[in-house]
Amino acid sequence: MAFFFGQMNHELRPNDFRSETWKRLTNALEAELERLRESNDAQSLGVTDTAVIRGQIKAVKNILALGQQPSASDRSRPENFPVGTLVELQELGLDPLN
C-alpha cells in the first residue's frame, strides 16, 4: 500500500497496521476526530473556520483509512485501481469501465 504526502512515497505493509504504535495512533486519531466533530457541531462558525475544521476531519479520516484493508470487491472496482493502472489497461485495449 502506498500513500503520498507531497513528494514522498511511503510503502506500508499489513503488519504495520497490527503494531502497538498503530493502535495507539488510531486511538489518538479517533479522539481527535471526535473533538473536531464536536467543535464543528457545537460552535457557530464562519464559512472559513468550518472549512478548516472539515479539512482537518478529512485528513484524520484519510490517515485512519490507511489501516483498512479493501475487500476483494473494492479492489476490483476501477476507481480503486492504483494511479495509472486504468490508463495502462486502456492502452492495452482492456477497458474495465465498459
Side-chain angles (χ1 to χ4, degrees):
M1 173 184 300
F3 64 97
F4 300 91
F5 288 108
Q7 299 297 317
M8 299 182 299
N9 177 5
H10 303 276
E11 290 291 327
L12 295 174
R13 290 173 232 103
N15 282 341
D16 294 332
F17 302 108
R18 293 187 204 102
S19 71
E20 288 302 314
T21 302
W22 178 253
K23 290 174 187 173
R24 286 193 308 274
L25 180 61
T26 299
N27 289 337
L29 288 169
E30 287 172 350
E32 178 64 5
L33 184 59
E34 183 62 27
R35 186 194 68 76
L36 288 167
R37 286 179 172 154
E38 288 174 3
S39 176
N40 194 42
D41 293 344
Q43 298 179 22
S44 177
L45 301 172
V47 174
T48 303
D49 291 335
T50 299
V52 167
I53 291 175
R54 287 181 180 168
Q56 292 171 333
I57 289 170
K58 179 68 173 163
V60 170
K61 285 179 160 184
N62 286 344
I63 295 169
L64 288 169
L66 292 173
Q68 298 174 355
Q69 296 297 318
S71 67
S73 62
D74 285 343
R75 286 191 302 269
S76 67
R77 296 174 58 198
E79 62 269 21
N80 293 329
F81 290 173
V83 175
T85 305
L86 181 59
V87 172
E88 292 167 0
L89 288 172
Q90 289 170 333
E91 288 173 352
L92 294 171
L94 305 169
D95 192 348
L97 299 177
N98 293 323

